[in-house]
Amino acid sequence: MTDPELTELRELAAQGDRDAVDQLVELAGERGDFDELRSLAAAGSSDAVDVLVELAGERGDVAELRRLADAGNQDAAELLAELTDED
């Protein structure tokens, strides 16, 4: 995807286009782009939160899982508990 296409997708997502949001979540997940996923999550995308939890769990990113758990995400809290129990 080119930069102009990505910019257009972001503009569409900002205007409430669910398909654009879904596509951005998918692309950000593939790239492991935590910043983009956080931005999408902050804008209300539960799918972005789910991908953040998944990626953070795969990477063993305790800080990200803690941030998500502190924000009330139960999946992140469970993964965090699993990771910290192993230490």
Side-chain angles (χ1 to χ4, degrees), residues 56-78:
E58 288 173 2
R59 294 180 180 187
D61 188 338
V62 172
E64 184 67 20
L65 288 171
R66 184 167 287 120
R67 185 188 73 77
L68 293 163
D70 288 348
N73 186 283
Q74 187 61 39
D75 292 333
E78 291 172 8

Side-chain angles (χ1 to χ4, degrees), residues 32-49:
D33 187 340
F34 276 65
D35 290 335
E36 179 105 52
L37 289 166
R38 285 185 201 112
S39 175
L40 293 163
S45 173
S46 60
D47 290 338
V49 174

